[in-house]
Amino acid sequence: LALRRAARAKVREFGAFARSRPFLASGATSSCILGATDMLVQRTTCEENAPWDRRRTLSMFLWGALWYGGPQQFFWTRLYPAVIGRGTQLQAAATCFADCVLNMGVSYLPAFYLFTGAVRGKAVSESVADLKKDYFATLSGMSGFWLPVQFCNFYFVPVHLQTYVVSAANVVNKSWLSWMRSRKTEAEQPGMPTDVSYGFLPPRETMDFSVVCAGAGVLTAMSVLELIA
């Protein structure tokens, strides 16, 4: 009980900061979480003596700072409330579809692959090839995860706290996305498994990513809402 009260107090402190400085709060929180998550993913999925891919971690850190502290935060705090509105289940569902399907497919994934590829020293043609190869699998998994999370987020959570919900959920989601972005054959990148599981995902050939990610999204949404309730 004391731990729960302490957690709620921290949420309120973060809420005050996010309300006064929404773009800075979003960028700072997301960059730290994405960078730390990628380090954890590399630690738990690569071979024991495999070197740490610093550029990969840097790409995730910078992506969190620039995207979530910029365009994505603008969508959440300015664009969606102005165009769609908020407060009803229908508006939450419409915002969720706009964010998790339209935005995800049209702007988020292309920008993510091109930006992180550039930070890691890849040519644009290589990043485009990676995007084409993984596009539908990544889009289905990302949408499957974020649809339940973001519906609860847009319907129940005040705008200034939505970044916190996304940051918490990103611990799960970005583990998966970081892996999707970085899958290589053993010949191309020694030390990186060709089909890692992260401990909570079965091999790709034996699963439906969208179903698994949707389940993870539901559990994540329930956990975060319980914390802030």
Side-chain angles (χ1 to χ4, degrees), residues 1 9 16 42 55 61 66 76 95 99 118 122 131 139 147 165 167 179 201 207-208 217:
L1 185 59
Q42 291 194 49
R55 282 198 171 218
F61 179 88
L66 297 178
W76 289 334
T95 304
D99 191 58
K122 286 194 168 189
L131 175 63
L139 180 59
L147 281 168
V165 176
S167 295
W179 168 61
L201 292 179
M207 68 177 290
D208 182 342

Side-chain angles (χ1 to χ4, degrees), residues 59-216:
S59 70
M60 297 298 290
F61 179 88
L62 292 177
W63 174 254
L66 297 178
W67 181 264
Y68 286 99
Q72 190 65 63
Q73 185 68 1
F74 171 78
F75 296 156
W76 289 334
T77 62
R78 305 287 194 273
L79 183 62
Y80 297 152
V83 175
I84 301 174
R86 65 184 311 273
T88 69
Q89 291 184 359
L90 181 59
Q91 287 172 322
T95 304
C96 187
F97 179 81
D99 191 58
C100 302
V101 179
L102 299 181
N103 172 44
M104 190 72 66
V106 174
S107 60
Y108 184 95
L109 287 181
F112 176 83
Y113 272 75
L114 291 173
F115 177 82
T116 57
V119 173
R120 299 179 67 187
K122 286 194 168 189
V124 173
S125 58
E126 291 182 273
S127 296
V128 170
D130 289 342
L131 175 63
K132 290 180 178 179
K133 179 181 67 176
D134 293 335
Y135 182 81
F136 289 106
T138 306
L139 180 59
S140 64
M142 291 282 284
S143 297
F145 177 88
W146 284 114
L147 281 168
V149 172
Q150 289 294 67
F151 176 80
C152 294
N153 196 15
F154 293 135
Y155 185 61
F156 294 107
V157 182
V159 172
H160 68 279
L161 281 180
Q162 289 173 0
T163 293
Y164 173 80
V165 176
V166 172
S167 295
N170 263 331
V171 174
V172 176
N173 178 258
K174 288 305 178 289
S175 295
W176 178 79
L177 182 59
S178 179
W179 168 61
M180 283 295 295
R181 178 67 185 86
S182 302
R183 278 185 304 123
K184 297 291 179 183
T185 64
E186 193 68 32
E188 291 175 320
Q189 187 173 333
M192 176 64 72
T194 58
D195 194 14
V196 297
S197 69
Y198 280 6
F200 58 84
L201 292 179
R204 184 182 183 187
E205 290 79 7
T206 63
M207 68 177 290
D208 182 342
F209 268 123
S210 60
V211 172
V212 172
C213 288

